[in-house]
Amino acid sequence: KKSEVSAVIAKADIKPKSIHDAKKWSADVENFYRFQQAGYRDEVEYKQIKQVDTVERWPETGFVKKLQRRDNTFNYFDKQRECKDKEVHKVKVYVY
């Protein structure tokens, strides 16, 4: 049954070992920013909560394209960088 499987996956909650603020922009920081804009810690947490195997990305840049928020609405992101320099320090980087 799907519900039992998802309950098991949800229990296998992977927690980050450490966290720090981003210092300068990178593609990874850009994707952390996008997950955090949609209300998630990062890709790991998104996949656990939404029970998905893949995240839709722009093929040209590899940046996250679309995320489903916790309230089931969607966040759509541009192909180009969205995280401005003044926002970089607000992005949390999680280490596993």
Side-chain angles (χ1 to χ4, degrees):
K1 287 187 199 106
K2 186 175 185 282
S3 60
E4 284 176 22
V5 172
S6 58
V8 169
I9 293 168
K11 278 186 193 135
D13 213 7
I14 304 163
K15 295 275 189 258
K17 286 193 191 78
S18 68
I19 172 179
H20 61 273
D21 293 334
K23 300 283 184 269
K24 62 183 179 47
W25 185 88
S26 69
D28 287 339
V29 168
E30 179 68 34
N31 282 324
F32 275 123
Y33 173 79
R34 292 173 185 220
F35 282 105
Q36 288 163 25
Q37 289 297 302
Y40 300 94
R41 200 171 52 213
D42 55 16
E43 189 169 348
V44 174
E45 185 183 51
Y46 181 78
K47 287 179 173 179
Q48 283 175 347
I49 290 169
K50 289 297 171 191
Q51 303 294 312
V52 294
D53 293 328
T54 57
V55 174
E56 222 174 301
R57 294 178 185 274
W58 290 103
E60 302 87 342
T61 59
F63 295 153
V64 173
K65 185 176 189 177
K66 178 177 92 175
L67 292 171
Q68 189 174 9
R69 297 177 61 90
R70 291 172 190 259
D71 62 5
N72 290 329
T73 60
F74 285 89
N75 273 27
Y76 296 91
F77 299 99
D78 287 338
K79 226 176 273 188
Q80 287 84 29
R81 172 179 173 177
E82 286 193 13
C83 182
K84 307 265 184 288
D85 280 334
K86 67 181 201 298
E87 301 285 318
V88 168
H89 73 281
K90 297 178 189 170
V91 178
K92 304 278 182 244
V93 177
Y94 294 90
V95 181
Y96 292 88

